[in-house]
Amino acid sequence: MSETVTVNELATHDSAPEPTPTGERADLLEALANHRHFLRFTTRDLTDEQAGRRTTTSQLCLGGLIKHVTAVERSWAQFILDGPSAMPDFTNMTEADWARRSDEFRMLPGETLIGVLADYAEVARRTDELIATHPDLDSTQPLPKAPWSEPGARWSARRVLMHVITETAQHAGHADIIRESLDGAKTMG
């Protein structure tokens, strides 16, 4: 049976990090929290079936977008701690690896919207805690091997967080288009 997610249930997935950051960290985390909210808000009052439905010519669905953003945030947060070993070597991925990665963009059998949102909330909580407590946002790690990475490039914890904010904002926009195509609902306006 498919469940409908209400706005109140979405609100329960928001939690404040401990300790409370200030200054730049607070500003960055607030920007990320705002984009997370808009992304989650696009799923309000949907069933699991609706969250998994493609409504545009792309392969994207709302539940899949949230899964993808969750995976991206999880891996980049781990990158801050462990460097490139937290991510695959994208230059050596097989077709099977890419196929598994594409599962991030869709709802798989047995997955629920409530489950996807709960996973996202837990990853968000851990990221917020990491950023609030990380000793130095200027600390860097070498980027993982990928065709799109400049060889030898390093990213600071700050730049990683800015990338996660950008990725979340971009996919919140995708989600809004998918939701409007689904049933006419909009995040804003």
Side-chain angles (χ1 to χ4, degrees):
M1 182 172 170
S2 189
E3 298 180 45
T4 300
V5 178
T6 66
V7 175
N8 289 339
E9 287 172 315
L10 292 175
T12 65
H13 295 295
D14 293 324
S15 61
E18 292 293 332
T20 303
T22 59
E24 176 190 26
R25 291 171 197 251
D27 291 343
L28 291 168
L29 288 173
E30 181 181 354
L32 181 55
N34 287 334
H35 293 303
R36 285 178 184 143
H37 166 75
F38 286 124
L39 177 59
R40 286 190 310 264
F41 190 67
T42 60
T43 67
R44 70 198 178 282
D45 303 322
L46 293 181
T47 65
D48 296 331
E49 187 275 328
Q50 290 170 313
R53 189 180 307 155
R54 291 177 40 217
T55 63
T56 65
T57 59
S58 81
Q59 296 295 314
L60 301 175
C61 68
L62 292 171
L65 276 174
I66 292 172
K67 283 177 55 179
H68 171 67
V69 171
T70 301
V72 166
E73 186 170 323
R74 179 185 289 123
S75 63
W76 280 110
Q78 200 61 47
F79 170 85
I80 290 171
L81 296 171
D82 299 333
S85 67
M87 296 181 172
D89 176 348
F90 291 99
T91 62
N92 286 323
M93 287 180 61
T94 65
E95 284 186 40
D97 294 330
W98 287 111
R100 277 190 298 280
R101 185 170 166 85
S102 72
D103 285 345
E104 285 179 6
F105 293 95
R106 59 190 185 96
M107 296 279 287
L108 300 175
E111 291 181 329
T112 65
L113 181 56
I114 287 176
V116 169
L117 289 168
D119 190 32
Y120 188 35
E122 178 57 24
V123 167
R125 184 196 63 75
R126 287 193 310 248
T127 300
D128 291 353
E129 183 179 303
L130 171 64
I131 298 303
T133 61
H134 193 63
D136 184 5
L137 293 182
D138 288 324
S139 64
T140 65
Q141 297 278 11
L143 287 178
K145 289 183 182 177
W148 49 84
S149 294
E150 180 183 332
R154 299 179 68 88
W155 276 14
S156 67
R158 176 184 298 100
R159 184 158 180 193
V160 167
L161 182 57
M162 290 172 30
H163 175 73
V164 170
I165 292 167
T166 301
E167 179 98 1
T168 305
Q170 177 180 4
H171 289 310
H174 291 147
D176 205 30
I177 291 167
I178 292 168
R179 179 62 191 259
E180 188 172 0
S181 298
L182 180 67
D183 63 4
K186 298 178 187 177
T187 302
M188 298 189 316

